[in-house]
Amino acid sequence: MASETISSSGYIKHHLQNLTFGQHADGSWGFAHTAQEAANMGFWAINVDTIGMSVLLGVLMMWFFRRAAKKATSGVPSGLVNFAEWIVEFVDENVRSSFTGRNPLVAPLALTIFVWVFLMNLVDDVMVDLIPQIAVFVGEHVFGADPHHVFFKAVPTTDPNATSAMALVVFALMVFYGIKVKGLGGFLGELAFQPFPKWLFPINLVLELVSLISKPVSLSLRLFGNIYAGEMIFILLAIMFGAGWILGPLSGLLQIGWAIFHILIIALQAYVFMMLTIVYLDMAHQKHH
């Protein structure tokens, strides 16, 4: 891929294909060479690029806050410490204004979600070919792989598996604290006996179950859809960049403009994911009489 001309559709497919590791049809284990092979690997296949980038950015986040904590002194704070404090205060203010219960987990969880999701989204503003081409180079020259079969989807939040996993963790916390705070009977009672009279419990149960399940689904798909759409625009602009002397410069300007505007989307989606997590956990802690 690095040295040969490929079609626009091939370019798009290559950028949207994960580096997937799993069991092949013959029973052997290895990386998928095509999208169909990846699909045939089934549920237990691993998107190595998504997990690798997520872990890398998580480590970067922890290193940043650890470094800021070590630099914090009683004197005038440095720029790094100031920035870290601003992030912590921003998240803390949102937690205080939206969470009415008492739970020491919520603020650290909100901080982790906001910064981690922001960093994962921020990869979307890196040059669209940079990280995939590095992966192709390493795959070809270090591991001897066919460059056409080396895929790398750099933005973790463009993988619905990643956003669904985060949303399911939030959902599990909602159910756990809902049962812990209200008791199993109180939790099930809210599902069966609200909002309509108790004798309409079948309707209540259906409505409340749909409402409960829709929370993690919407949480996951909102983040995935917005970041995936942004990545698609970057890919299309990259194709346009190679379309000739007329469209090339225009594409360059559009990429710069979209990258600047996309920073707002990146930050907004991280904020929305964090705020919905806080609100959902607040709802789980509320008792209805």
Side-chain angles (χ1 to χ4, degrees), residues 91-92 95 103-112:
V91 172
D92 187 61
V95 172
N103 190 330
L105 174 71
V106 175
L109 177 65
L111 177 65
T112 302

Side-chain angles (χ1 to χ4, degrees), residues 271-286:
Y271 176 75
V272 168
F273 201 100
M274 176 194 74
M275 285 304 301
L276 287 178
T277 299
I278 296 171
V279 170
Y280 291 160
L281 289 178
D282 181 62
M283 294 170 64
H285 282 74
Q286 291 178 1

Side-chain angles (χ1 to χ4, degrees), residues 170-187:
V170 174
F171 179 72
L173 289 172
M174 287 168 50
V175 174
F176 173 77
Y177 283 111
I179 295 174
K180 181 179 180 181
V181 172
K182 305 164 189 175
L184 181 59
F187 178 77

Side-chain angles (χ1 to χ4, degrees), residues 37-55:
E37 276 191 16
N40 292 339
M41 287 178 173
F43 178 80
W44 294 110
I46 300 172
N47 290 342
V48 178
D49 43 9
T50 296
I51 293 177
M53 290 297 294
S54 299
V55 171

Side-chain angles (χ1 to χ4, degrees), residues 83-231:
F83 184 58
E85 287 181 350
W86 176 80
I87 296 174
V88 172
E89 289 174 2
F90 170 75
V91 172
D92 187 61
E93 287 176 4
N94 282 279
V95 172
R96 289 178 183 276
S97 63
S98 302
F99 186 74
T100 57
R102 294 175 62 87
N103 190 330
L105 174 71
V106 175
L109 177 65
L111 177 65
T112 302
I113 286 175
F114 177 71
V115 178
W116 195 26
V117 172
F118 177 79
L119 289 176
M120 287 191 284
N121 292 349
L122 188 61
V123 179
D124 206 14
D125 260 11
V126 177
M127 288 185 292
V128 69
D129 281 325
L130 180 60
I131 298 177
Q133 287 297 337
I134 292 174
V136 167
F137 180 85
V138 172
E140 181 180 9
H141 294 91
V142 177
F143 298 101
D146 183 344
H148 293 82
H149 295 157
V150 179
F151 306 100
F152 202 91
K153 201 174 180 182
V155 187
T157 43
T158 59
D159 184 351
N161 295 289
T163 59
S164 297
M166 291 188 291
L168 286 174
V169 170
V170 174
F171 179 72
L173 289 172
M174 287 168 50
V175 174
F176 173 77
Y177 283 111
I179 295 174
K180 181 179 180 181
V181 172
K182 305 164 189 175
L184 181 59
F187 178 77
L188 296 177
E190 284 191 356
L191 293 178
F193 302 136
Q194 293 182 11
F196 300 118
K198 293 183 178 181
W199 61 274
L200 289 175
F201 74 91
I203 298 176
N204 290 332
L205 188 60
V206 171
L207 291 176
E208 289 300 314
L209 282 176
V210 169
S211 175
L212 183 66
I213 295 171
S214 67
K215 288 181 173 64
V217 173
S218 64
L219 196 62
S220 168
L221 295 182
R222 180 184 292 104
L223 177 60
F224 161 72
N226 281 278
I227 305 304
Y228 185 86
E231 178 72 357

